[in-house]
Amino acid sequence: MSELILLKLGGSVITDKTRPFTARIDVIQRLAQEIKSALAERGDDLRLIIGHGSGSFGHEVAAKYQTHKGGTSAESWLGFAEVAHAAATLNHLVVNALREVGVPAMRFQPSASTRTRGEQLMYFETFPLKEALSHGLVPVVYGDVSVDAAQGMSIVSTELLFDNLARELSPSRIVLAGQVDGVYEADPNLKPNAELISDIDRNNWEEVAAMLGGSHGTDVTGGMFTKVRDMYRLTIAMPPMQAMIMSAEEPGHLEAVLKGQMVSFGTLIN
């Protein structure tokens, strides 16, 4: 049976998170080509669902309107629309790049198919996505806004969408491809000598959790700690699925991972 991988292209790698509304078009195009190369080599042996963060697009506007705190005023709902537009703008760039190299990508808008309650994803209409996947298409989701049952509105992250999809589809791997090489003992942007943690499992989770902080730049979805915690909990719930946190900055690294090659970079979460 073909391998299913859930792949996230982090907002930190496809945008400049320190400059509002700045996409790294050259990086997006390169990653699209690496994805295409892996799909071409593996053929029917590889199925992909791609997600991506909102980086300096959605996060910037969400922070301005405090969208993650709910609908508190008429301005909050204006912000809801603004965040959705910003996230969709970046998604348009990503999907276009994938389609330009021949990846049969199809976008699925989370704000039109989800409902949250605080940090919980209560509802996610996945049937159309699963049908597209079964017919050889590559579904693309992304961090977006969501109507919220408790506070009117919220943010639904790619990781939260992946958690739901993983429980329904049982992928073999979730790959989170961002800007840094993996999970470090400290933020490598602030401490260049920080050591990479190559593996995270039951034996060292508590120690790792105590080390983690937020991500570099504006991020309203919790930063590195939330990402690692959620992936760890998911792998515990769904063995033998693995998660990997890696950098997509180095050309060829993402392609190697998608092709199933043995690699010496990144952090593996079991």
Side-chain angles (χ1 to χ4, degrees), residues 142-215:
Y142 55 98
D144 201 358
V145 293
S146 178
V147 171
D148 190 276
Q151 58 183 34
M153 67 182 67
S154 188
I155 300 292
V156 59
S157 68
T158 308
E159 286 83 4
L160 197 55
L161 298 170
F162 275 11
D163 184 280
N164 183 282
L165 290 169
R167 293 175 192 276
E168 289 194 26
L169 296 171
S170 299
S172 64
R173 289 186 284 165
I174 296 179
V175 177
L176 305 183
Q179 189 176 42
V180 296
D181 293 330
V183 181
Y184 283 81
E185 293 180 341
D187 187 343
N189 293 296
L190 302 176
K191 297 183 178 179
N193 294 326
E195 292 188 11
L196 178 71
I197 303 169
S198 59
D199 292 278
I200 297 174
D201 55 29
R202 293 178 186 271
N203 295 321
N204 67 345
W205 166 245
E206 290 187 6
E207 181 182 358
V208 170
M211 297 176 185
L212 298 180
S215 64

Side-chain angles (χ1 to χ4, degrees), residues 34-243:
E34 291 189 34
I35 291 166
K36 170 62 177 178
S37 297
L39 287 168
E41 179 172 307
R42 296 191 61 182
D44 293 338
D45 187 46
L46 175 62
R47 294 176 298 146
L48 275 181
I49 296 174
I50 298 174
H52 65 81
S54 287
S56 64
F57 284 70
H59 284 298
E60 192 72 25
V61 186
K64 174 183 177 182
Y65 288 98
Q66 296 291 286
T67 307
H68 58 295
K69 294 184 178 180
T72 58
S73 66
E75 187 178 52
S76 298
W77 286 100
L78 173 62
F80 186 80
E82 292 293 329
V83 176
H85 177 70
T89 299
L90 179 58
N91 177 255
H92 182 75
L93 297 175
V94 172
V95 171
N96 276 1
L98 289 165
R99 295 189 61 81
E100 283 173 2
V101 298
V103 175
M106 180 176 178
R107 66 174 51 86
F108 287 86
Q109 178 186 340
S111 54
S113 58
T114 62
R115 190 181 186 199
T116 57
R117 182 184 292 275
E119 294 186 354
Q120 301 299 315
L121 181 57
M122 293 177 59
Y123 179 79
F124 181 17
E125 176 52 73
T126 60
F127 181 83
L129 184 154
K130 290 184 288 189
E131 191 72 2
L133 179 68
S134 71
H135 288 86
L137 301 183
V138 177
V140 182
V141 297
Y142 55 98
D144 201 358
V145 293
S146 178
V147 171
D148 190 276
Q151 58 183 34
M153 67 182 67
S154 188
I155 300 292
V156 59
S157 68
T158 308
E159 286 83 4
L160 197 55
L161 298 170
F162 275 11
D163 184 280
N164 183 282
L165 290 169
R167 293 175 192 276
E168 289 194 26
L169 296 171
S170 299
S172 64
R173 289 186 284 165
I174 296 179
V175 177
L176 305 183
Q179 189 176 42
V180 296
D181 293 330
V183 181
Y184 283 81
E185 293 180 341
D187 187 343
N189 293 296
L190 302 176
K191 297 183 178 179
N193 294 326
E195 292 188 11
L196 178 71
I197 303 169
S198 59
D199 292 278
I200 297 174
D201 55 29
R202 293 178 186 271
N203 295 321
N204 67 345
W205 166 245
E206 290 187 6
E207 181 182 358
V208 170
M211 297 176 185
L212 298 180
S215 64
H216 190 58
T218 300
D219 191 335
V220 296
T221 57
M224 181 62 80
F225 173 74
T226 301
K227 293 174 175 61
V228 176
R229 180 199 65 192
D230 292 350
M231 289 300 104
Y232 174 72
R233 289 176 177 175
L234 190 57
T235 59
I236 291 292
M238 298 192 62
M241 187 191 74
Q242 296 180 327

